[in-house]
Amino acid sequence: MKVGRRLTLMAAGASLISSPAAFAAEGGAGFYLLGSKGPAAAITPPPGVYFQHDLYMYRGDLGGDRALPAGGRLALGVEGDAIVSVPTIMWVLPEEIAGGHLGLGASLPIGWKKTDADLTIAGPLGGVGTGAVSDAIFTVGDPIVSAFLGWETGNFHWQVGTMVNVPIGDYQKGEISNISFNHWGADVFAAATWLDPNIGLDISGVIGMTFNAENPATDYRTGNEFHFEWAAVQHFNKQFDAGLVGYYYNQVTGDSGAGARSAFKGEVAAIGATIGYSFMAGELPVSTRLKFFHEFAAENRAEGNSAILTISVPLSITKPVSTE
């Protein structure tokens, strides 16, 4: 790192001790995975048990001399990389509830994350600064449980649901890399999909709000987070589709708690592309999808590129009972 850059960061670190600063949400992200929804977001599969695996890859940086609160420390000049595996089991019940079908799910993130910082400061209210820090981990995150209700009529499908972050993953206070969030959180969402099988056009959208409890290890509470995701894809045949995807994120309430120095609010948008391919592995139908996102217009939040590779298969399908 150049001497001028180091001096600039040290001066910025000193200013953090005596004046408000623009923070990022703790750890730089919420437990809701932006971009995880996409085409067919509101289509409820037939009753049965399903397995899905999402491989999430991200590279980005906070930019400038803005500070990232992580593990009870403040980090400046932050760059981060992550590769996280998210296996999910989902069960769609055969019974109808309010005219729709109930789905229950559970996920367990496991992965690698590396965070580099040009300068770190101990404690939310300032303290002794240290030089460049690099922190890499491979560990287990917080499990997530979910539930949704889905309906359909003609070409229109819609869902409402919730996800809950259970804070029992591996969390290390004082480290600037963590996959676990170490706090309870709940996300509520509504999704809609219009899919015309005659022309093969899929238009999907999801809106949601994430509510965060306080991290007891750092006394930091990330504010409520709004997210909107969209997709527009064309199915060219039964196996292949391609199109555009994107998302918008906006923190609508400020961070709070003894570990937060200001009522931070972050914002970012992303646009990208997706391709989907389905095939048969013997008698087992397999669906795969690759999504790529480029983030832009970030305010007080990391900005970068991400890719999500999704593979899903049915483990068992509940066949309808014959009435004859």
Side-chain angles (χ1 to χ4, degrees):
M1 181 175 60
K2 294 182 180 179
V3 174
R5 172 65 171 162
R6 183 180 293 276
L7 290 175
T8 299
L9 288 166
M10 291 180 68
S15 69
L16 284 173
I17 300 174
S18 59
S19 63
F23 289 177
E26 188 174 25
F31 83 87
Y32 181 86
L33 182 60
L34 293 172
S36 58
K37 304 292 186 181
I43 295 180
T44 301
V49 180
Y50 300 83
F51 173 78
Q52 177 172 304
H53 180 262
D54 292 288
L55 182 63
Y56 173 73
M57 297 159 281
Y58 181 82
R59 167 170 289 183
D61 62 80
L62 194 59
D65 296 334
R66 291 192 291 271
L68 174 72
R73 302 177 65 86
L74 296 179
L76 287 85
V78 176
E79 295 181 356
D81 299 90
I83 301 176
V84 181
S85 168
V86 188
T88 299
I89 292 291
M90 182 177 66
W91 176 34
V92 179
L93 280 65
E95 297 83 7
E96 283 196 1
I97 298 177
H101 283 283
L102 174 66
L104 303 173
S107 305
L108 182 63
I110 304 171
W112 170 84
K113 184 177 180 182
K114 180 182 179 183
T115 306
D116 297 317
D118 292 332
L119 178 69
T120 62
I121 301 171
L125 300 179
V128 178
T130 61
V133 173
S134 181
D135 183 22
I137 59 166
F138 181 83
T139 189
V140 178
D142 297 327
I144 297 172
V145 293
S146 60
F148 66 84
L149 269 175
W151 301 266
E152 63 178 89
T153 177
N155 296 337
F156 186 61
H157 309 256
W158 68 101
Q159 287 181 1
V160 294
T162 185
M163 303 167 59
V164 176
N165 187 77
V166 183
I168 59 174
D170 179 26
Y171 180 82
Q172 300 296 322
K173 183 180 178 181
E175 301 295 335
I176 60 174
S177 279
N178 274 295
I179 293 177
S180 169
F181 295 95
N182 200 47
H183 66 74
W184 289 94
D187 184 86
V188 292
F189 67 89
T193 294
W194 183 79
L195 174 62
D196 189 332
N198 294 320
I199 61 176
L201 181 62
D202 175 335
I203 299 176
S204 295
V206 182
I207 59 171
M209 184 74 73
T210 305
F211 303 91
N212 300 289
E214 184 174 279
N215 180 345
T218 59
D219 299 321
Y220 197 104
R221 180 174 181 173
T222 298
N224 300 333
E225 304 163 286
F226 169 83
H227 56 88
F228 168 66
E229 294 162 277
W230 60 270
V233 303
Q234 177 65 47
H235 291 261
F236 298 97
N237 50 49
K238 292 183 179 180
Q239 289 76 39
F240 179 74
D241 67 75
L244 299 176
V245 290
Y247 60 76
Y248 171 71
Y249 164 94
N250 188 7
Q251 190 176 326
V252 297
T253 63
D255 295 342
S256 61
R261 295 189 66 248
S262 62
F264 159 82
K265 294 181 181 180
E267 185 177 16
V268 73
I271 191 168
T274 182
I275 56 173
Y277 182 70
S278 300
F279 61 93
M280 298 294 296
E283 297 183 354
L284 185 68
V286 180
S287 298
T288 65
R289 179 165 301 282
L290 178 63
K291 291 175 284 187
F292 173 81
F293 296 92
H294 172 69
E295 293 181 324
F296 61 95
E299 294 290 340
N300 301 326
R301 185 180 169 90
E303 181 177 291
N305 298 310
S306 66
I308 303 176
L309 175 62
T310 301
I311 301 174
S312 57
V313 296
L315 300 180
S316 68
I317 300 295
T318 303
K319 295 182 180 181
V321 177
S322 175
T323 57
E324 296 181 359

